Amino acid sequence: MAEVPELKESLQESLQQVIHLLDKHKLIEDLVHKQELDMPKRSLVESIVHKQNITLLQKKLDLLHPADVAYILEALPLAQRLDVWELVKAERDGEILLEVSDAVRQTLIADMDSDELLAAAEQLDTDELADLAPDLPTDVLHELLDSLDYQNRERLQSALAYPDDAVGALMDFDIVTIREDITLEVALRYLRRIGTLPDHTDKLFVVDRHDILRGVLPLKRLVVNDLDLGVAEIMADDPVVFHPEDLADDASKAFERYDLVTAPVVDHNNKLVGRLTVDTVMDYIREEAESDMLSMAGLREEEDLFSSVWKSVQNRWTWLAVNLVTALVASRVIGLFEGSIEKTVALAALMPIVAGIGGNSGNQTTTMIVRGLALGQIASHNMHSLLKKELGVSLLNGLIWGSVLGVIAYALYQNITLSIVMTAAMTLNLLLAAVMGVMIPLVMTKSGRDPAVGSSVLITAVTDSGGFFIFLGLAAIFLR
Amino acid sequence: MAEVPELKESLQESLQQVIHLLDKHKLIEDLVHKQELDMPKRSLVESIVHKQNITLLQKKLDLLHPADVAYILEALPLAQRLDVWELVKAERDGEILLEVSDAVRQTLIADMDSDELLAAAEQLDTDELADLAPDLPTDVLHELLDSLDYQNRERLQSALAYPDDAVGALMDFDIVTIREDITLEVALRYLRRIGTLPDHTDKLFVVDRHDILRGVLPLKRLVVNDLDLGVAEIMADDPVVFHPEDLADDASKAFERYDLVTAPVVDHNNKLVGRLTVDTVMDYIREEAESDMLSMAGLREEEDLFSSVWKSVQNRWTWLAVNLVTALVASRVIGLFEGSIEKTVALAALMPIVAGIGGNSGNQTTTMIVRGLALGQIASHNMHSLLKKELGVSLLNGLIWGSVLGVIAYALYQNITLSIVMTAAMTLNLLLAAVMGVMIPLVMTKSGRDPAVGSSVLITAVTDSGGFFIFLGLAAIFLR
C-alpha cells in the first residue's frame, strides 16, 4: 500500500537523488573542461558521461507522479530546473505544467518553443487548457484555438472570458447526465456502457432534453435503492447550484458549509454548463490563503523562490516605496520637534518604543477585523460593539504597558514628568491604534478593496507618525 | 434550486431579521422598565411581549441550517448571542456546537448546565464527540464516557489521545466494508440492504475477516463494471492510506496532491480503524491558514470577535511583552549614541526610516521562506542559492532606495556626509534583513518550532536594533 510517510520520504529522497545526479553531471563536465582535452576527445567523453547520467535521471523521473515531478521542479534553482525539465518535458509536460505554481510555470514555458507547447496542450482537457492559456504566447494560443473542435473552442473561450476569481474560470466539463424518466436499472446499464466515469464523480446530473437541470442523483443513492425505482423518485431536486459568474470565494464557502464534493454550474435558464469539484475548490482555498499571507507582507504576487533578482525587485518595490513615503512622513513629524529632542535627548531613545508597540497592537486588531470580514461576520450592526471592545483592550494594555514603561523610563532617566508623558503617550497611541485598526480594513472594504492588501503597512504608518506626534507633542508641552 | 447568491443574501437577511427582533425585544423591555409600573402589571406586560417576540424569533431560527445558525451566533455580541442560543439550544445544540469556532463554542458551553450538555452530546457521532470533548467540563466528559457502549468509548478515548494535528484526531468511523471474494452483484445487494451510505462515501473499503485492509472499491467502478466480476478484480489494491499518528498537515497535502475524497486509516498491522474525508481536511486547511495569519500578527490563538476585553488582553499580551523587550533593546541601542544625536539632531528624525524599511524588506523575505518551508521546497541543498538571491535583491533595493533617501536627506539638511551615511546604512540594514530573513525561519524550523509564529516580530526586532546601530554608528564615526 502507498503509505503517506513513505510517500513523503520517497519524495524527499527522489529530490535528493535528482540533485545528486545533477551534481555528478556538473562535476564531471567541469573536470572534462579543466583537463583541456583537444576538442573531439573532449566532446566524446562529455557525450558518454552525459548519456549515462541522463539515462539514470530519466529512469528516476519516469517513475514519479506528475505532482511529484512538479514538486521537484519547484525546489530546484533555475539552471538545474531547466535541466530536469528538458528530460521530462517530451512526455508528460502538459500535466506537469498544470501542477506547478504560476511563477514556476512561466520559467518552464519560457524554455519551450511553439511546437512543444502545442504538443503539451494537446494532452489536456478544455478546463485544464483554460488554466494554462493565460501563460501561453499569443500565437500559440491562436493556433491552439484553431485546432479545437467547435464545442471545445466555445468552452475554452468562455472559460477565458471569466475573471480568475469567478466560478466560470474554475469549472470543468466532465459531466455525466441522465434523464429523469428512466429507472435506476436503465441508468446503471447506461453507465456500464460508458465504461469509466470522470474523477470525483459522486453524482450524476439529471437534465431534460434541452439540458435544463432537473436535479442530481448521488451515486450513493443509486447503489442503495431498488432498481425498479425511477430516477425522478430518488434524485435530489433541490441541489446547491452555481452560476459561472458567481464569486469563487462564495462558492468555496458553500462547499465548506454544505460539505460538497461536486456541484452543477448552470446558466440563467438553469441550463447545465459545467461542474465544480472539491479538488479545484481546495486548490483555490490554498492559493487564496497564501496570497493573503503574501499580500499582508507587501509582496505583489506569488514569487518563485528562485526567480531572478531583478524580477523579485520588481515584485517587491511597490510596498517598499509606500513604506518609504510613510517613513518620510514619520520622519518629518519628528523633525517638527527637533528643538525638544535637542533639549531632552532621551526622547529620541524612547520614541520608537511608543511607535513600535502601537504598531504591533494595531496589527493585532487589524488581523482580527480582516478575518471577521473574510468570514462575513462584520457588518454595520456590530461595528459599535467591536470598536468598544477594541478600545477597552487598548485602554487596559496602554495602562499596563504604559506604566511598566513609565517605571523603566524613570529608572533610566530619573525624570518623573518624562515617565508620565511616556505612560500617557503609550495609552493614547494604543487607543489610536485600536480606532485605526478597526477603521482601515472597514474603509478599504467599503471602497471595494481587499482589506488584506496593505492594511498592515497603513496601520503601521498611522501608529508610527501618530506615536511620534503624541509622544513628542506631550513632551514639548510638559517638559519645558 | 438553491442558488448560492440567494443563499448568501438570505443568510445576511436572516442575520438582520434576528437582530431586528432582538432590538425590538430590548426596546420594549426598556420602555416597560421606564414607565415604572407596579410590579405585577409590569411582569405581565413583559411576559406577553416576550412571548410574541420569542415565537417569531424561534420560527425564524427553526428554518435555518445548523451551519447558518452558527454563522449568526458568531456575528452577534455576547449578550445577544446567548439570547439566541437560549432559543435554539434545546433542539439542535449538538450540531450547532460543532459548527461554531472554538472560541465561540466556549462562550456557548459556559451558558449550559450538565444536563443540557449531555443531551447535546447524545445527538452526536463518536468522531463529532471527539471534536467537542476538549471543551466540555471534566464531570460532563466522565458522565458521557460512562453512557457510551464499549466500542464507542474505545474510539472516543483513542481519538482524544491523539494530538489535534494528527490524523487520529480528524478521522471518523463511518466506514462501509465489503469482502473481496464476492461479486459486484452481491456487493450491490448488500448495499441495498444497508439502505443509506454515510456522507462522502465515494468508495467501499475491502477488508478480510480480521478487518485487514485489502483495497478500496470506488463507487464509480462499482456502477460501470459487469455485475459478474469479483470485487478483487476491480478494486484498487494500492490506495493511499494513512495512520492515526500521521501528521494532519502531511495528510492534507496528500489529499491535495492525489485529489482524494475519502481515504482509509489503518494501524500498523494494516487493520482498518477509520477514514479521513475531504470535508474534514478542508476545514483543517482553512483553520491552519487562519492560525498562521493570526500567529504572524502575534495573536496567541483564535479569538472570538466579541470575547471580553480581559480575555482579549490575555490572548494578546505575550507578543506585546516580547515586543516591549525588543523595543527596549532598540531604545538602549539609541541610548548608546545620545551624544551624536545631541550634536546632530537630524539623526533622530532619520533613524526610524532606516529601521522601518529594513523591517518591511526583512518581512518580505521571511514570508517567502516561511511559505517555501510550508511547501517543503527548502532544504540544505538550495539554501545557498536562496541566500545569494535574497542578498542580491537587498543590495539592489539598498542602492536604489538608499540613494533616493540620500538625496532627500541632502535636500532637508544640506549635509553631504549625512547623505552618504544614510545611503550606506540603508544598504547595510537591507543586507542584514536579507540574512536574518532567511536564517530566522530556518533556525526556528531546525529547532522544531513553527516558523510562522513570531518570525515577523523577531525580524523586526533585528532590523530595528540593527538599523539604529548601523546608522548611528556610521554617523558617530563620520559626522564628528
Side-chain angles (χ1 to χ4, degrees), chain A residues 18 26 63 98 111 129 176 258 317 336 343 385 392 409 434 460 480:
Chain A
V18 168
K26 191 159 181 303
L63 294 173
L98 282 181
D111 192 51
L129 277 182
V176 180
Y258 306 111
W317 83 270
L336 293 178
K343 266 189 288 171
S385 0
T460 308
R480 329 183 144 262

Side-chain angles (χ1 to χ4, degrees), chain B residues 74 97 142 180 183 260 324 398:
Chain B
E74 301 247 351
L97 281 178
H142 282 300
E180 62 181 321
T183 62
L260 303 172
L324 190 83

Side-chain angles (χ1 to χ4, degrees), chain B residues 215-227:
Chain B
V216 298
L217 177 61
L219 293 186
K220 260 176 51 176
R221 295 198 192 176
L222 180 60
V223 296
V224 297
N225 277 291
D226 220 335
L227 295 181

Side-chain angles (χ1 to χ4, degrees), chain A residues 338-351:
Chain A
E338 278 177 2
S340 305
I341 295 174
E342 248 168 349
K343 266 189 288 171
T344 320
V345 74
L347 295 179
L350 294 175
M351 67 188 185

Side-chain angles (χ1 to χ4, degrees), chain B residues 229-251:
Chain B
L229 289 172
V231 167
E233 287 168 81
I234 66 156
M235 74 181 184
D237 54 9
D238 188 30
V240 178
V241 303
F242 299 93
H243 296 294
E245 62 276 13
D246 288 347
L247 288 179
D249 198 45
D250 293 337

